[in-house]
Amino acid sequence: MSLNLDTLRLQIDSLDHKLIALLNERAQVSLDIGAAKKSAMDPQEEDNTHVYIPGREKQVFEKVTRLNPGPLAPESLCAIYREIMSASIALQKNVMVAYLGPIGSFSHDASIKRFGDSVQYASQGTIADVFEAVERGRCQYGVVPFENSIAGSVVPTLDKFVKSKVKIRAETYLPVHHYLLSKTTTEAIRRVYSHPVALAQCQTFLNEHLKGIELVPCASTSEAAQLASKEKFAAAICSQVCAEIYGLDVLHANIEDQQGNEEKVGDVFVCTCVCVCVGTRIECLLCRCLALLDNTTRFFIISDAWDAPTSSDKTLLMFTVDHRLPGALCDGLKVFKDHSLNLTKIDSRPSLLRPWHYVFFVECAGVHGDSEVMHKVIAELGKFCLDVKIVGTYPDQRPHDIN
């Protein structure tokens, strides 16, 4: 048995030598790719070269998943390749990524899961600061929350898109679980800090356990943890990782609201209607609710340019309408139907130009912003809409289990 164990460890050592050689060989090819890009462009444009290519990244993850024979889980293999690609990016160029901080925020988590540990990160105080860091060139990329599956759109992000010149380059999805952290007991809490979206996502828990307690909105959930760590009778709603970072105790876990006609059985919410299994979720046959609906936040990666077309893209447009023309918005939306484009999101925000004047956001699937179809759509929208603008176009990376 001892001899067999020693033999197996020697095999591991031999494989490690081969892996190191192959990883460095791959890294050298990555450097060669970077050099080829630079040689093919104007020297004055070298600083604008993008080393983060979301379309190529998506291809790599799909290939790795397809070729994986096991026993490694696809998620584990993709996590390994995430760090391999992160190291390759850092070799080609010093990359700085702005995110809504401080450390421990969900934006920080989403940034690391997208870019890995080898690039540099710059914590920002507000979502507006993330936009500014990219606009002024201090950071090549920024990560901003766009919408949540329970609380809906993130208003500060929408408002910044109205005036900002940044482009959406990619999207990423992060499952969100909220924890109540504090240095005291639940009964002794007098104040709860958190981001407004997180507070909205935990209304059921707050009404049941902390009804009447002062709720203090913060710029981020990790800032909330910082503040709670300095007050004796304060608590924060944030991620579990903040407990270790800021020296807080976990009082309650997974306190975010659930949706659907459900009741809690043990640690699981199940629908009280007639249910059938749909993958890893439960779908009700009567009300069609999803009893196990994940609390997921979608983030956008912003930059100064979008990526080249892929096999499956989404495009977010922004426009206003002339309200003097009856049915102008209806006519504008019909343009997408006429071109067989599926709309995956519609939203609106005040234009801030004059009262009761709105900017509309429309996301459509299956089309790239530089495609002939999109050029036709924009031209036809111009007949009914004003100030039509593509905010971004990006690979569709919505997880399959929430489609």
Side-chain angles (χ1 to χ4, degrees):
M1 185 69 176
S2 178
L3 178 62
N4 185 45
L5 184 59
D6 290 339
T7 301
L8 292 173
R9 285 173 173 167
L10 286 173
Q11 289 181 14
I12 290 288
D13 291 341
S14 176
L15 289 170
D16 284 342
H17 279 89
K18 294 176 182 178
L19 280 173
I20 291 170
L22 288 171
L23 286 172
N24 279 290
E25 183 179 346
R26 189 188 192 281
Q28 184 57 56
V29 174
S30 178
L31 285 172
D32 294 341
I33 290 173
K37 289 180 182 178
K38 290 181 179 180
S39 64
M41 66 187 311
D42 188 328
Q44 295 182 348
E45 296 293 323
E46 284 188 13
D47 290 341
N48 298 326
T49 304
H50 281 278
V51 291
Y52 171 62
I53 312 297
R56 174 59 179 162
E57 174 190 77
K58 182 181 178 182
Q59 289 177 350
V60 171
F61 285 141
E62 289 174 346
K63 177 188 66 177
V64 166
T65 301
R66 185 175 65 253
L67 296 178
N68 180 32
L72 281 176
E75 295 81 5
S76 299
L77 202 56
C78 286
I80 293 170
Y81 266 80
R82 153 59 49 233
E83 292 307 321
I84 291 174
M85 288 188 286
S86 177
S88 296
I89 288 173
L91 279 174
Q92 291 186 40
K93 188 176 183 178
N94 290 326
V95 171
M96 183 74 73
V97 179
Y99 69 93
L100 176 62
I103 292 175
S105 67
F106 290 110
S107 293
H108 183 233
D109 191 7
S111 301
I112 291 177
K113 288 186 176 180
R114 173 57 67 182
F115 287 94
D117 287 321
S118 294
V119 304
Q120 301 177 63
Y121 293 97
S123 173
Q124 307 296 317
T126 66
I127 288 174
D129 292 337
V130 176
F131 275 82
E132 183 180 354
V134 176
E135 290 169 342
R136 294 182 177 274
R138 296 195 300 268
C139 297
Q140 290 87 356
Y141 307 103
V143 178
V144 293
F146 180 64
E147 65 174 336
N148 177 266
S149 58
I150 292 177
S153 298
V154 180
V155 170
T157 299
L158 284 174
D159 287 346
K160 284 302 299 181
F161 277 133
V162 172
K163 293 185 177 182
S164 178
K165 295 182 179 180
V166 303
K167 308 295 183 184
I168 302 169
R169 189 170 179 83
E171 66 174 2
T172 190
Y173 293 79
L174 181 73
V176 172
H177 295 290
H178 291 302
Y179 292 73
L180 184 71
L181 307 184
S182 181
K183 290 184 176 181
T184 188
T185 63
T186 304
E187 295 73 21
I189 293 173
R190 299 174 184 171
R191 182 180 295 116
V192 176
Y193 293 100
S194 196
H195 188 276
V197 173
L199 292 172
Q201 293 170 4
C202 301
Q203 282 301 302
T204 301
F205 173 86
L206 291 171
N207 288 333
E208 182 178 346
H209 298 278
L210 296 168
K211 192 174 183 64
I213 296 297
E214 181 184 6
L215 305 179
V216 183
C218 302
S220 69
T221 53
S222 51
E223 182 188 55
Q226 275 188 333
L227 293 170
S229 68
K230 299 174 183 178
E231 294 186 29
K232 186 175 181 181
F233 299 109
I237 294 176
C238 49
S239 66
Q240 184 179 18
V241 70
C242 286
E244 182 177 351
I245 295 173
Y246 300 106
L248 297 167
D249 297 323
V250 176
L251 302 184
H252 298 273
N254 300 331
I255 64 173
E256 63 273 7
D257 293 344
Q258 302 289 322
Q259 290 186 348
N261 299 318
E262 70 263 349
E263 61 183 17
K264 195 168 185 181
V265 179
D267 293 327
V268 179
F269 284 87
V270 296
C271 186
T272 55
C273 300
V274 182
C275 298
V276 294
C277 290
V278 180
T280 58
R281 303 172 297 173
I282 295 178
E283 182 174 356
C284 177
L285 289 174
L286 297 181
C287 66
R288 312 307 294 176
C289 72
L290 293 177
L292 298 184
L293 181 63
D294 290 334
N295 178 18
T296 300
T297 297
R298 175 161 64 141
F299 294 81
F300 279 149
I301 288 83
I302 57 174
S303 185
D304 62 358
W306 53 63
D307 196 12
T310 71
S311 59
S312 178
D313 294 303
K314 291 193 285 189
T315 298
L316 183 69
L317 297 96
M318 181 182 77
F319 55 83
T320 60
V321 298
D322 189 345
H323 293 293
R324 296 171 300 181
L325 301 176
L329 177 59
C330 182
D331 290 336
L333 294 178
K334 186 175 182 297
V335 171
F336 297 95
K337 181 179 185 297
D338 292 341
H339 288 275
S340 301
L341 294 179
N342 182 35
L343 300 186
T344 53
K345 182 175 178 64
I346 302 176
D347 216 324
S348 65
R349 291 295 300 153
S351 68
L352 305 180
L353 296 176
R354 56 182 181 272
W356 317 119
H357 187 258
Y358 292 89
V359 175
F360 294 92
F361 292 88
V362 173
E363 183 185 59
C364 49
V367 63
H368 190 273
D370 292 329
S371 66
E372 183 178 350
V373 171
M374 185 53 64
H375 290 162
K376 292 180 180 179
V377 166
I378 292 175
E380 293 179 31
L381 280 175
K383 301 175 184 177
F384 316 104
C385 306
L386 307 172
D387 306 317
V388 181
K389 168 188 170 184
I390 296 180
V391 183
T393 187
Y394 36 92
D396 185 349
Q397 295 190 287
R398 190 181 191 191
H400 295 300
D401 61 350
I402 60 173
N403 281 335

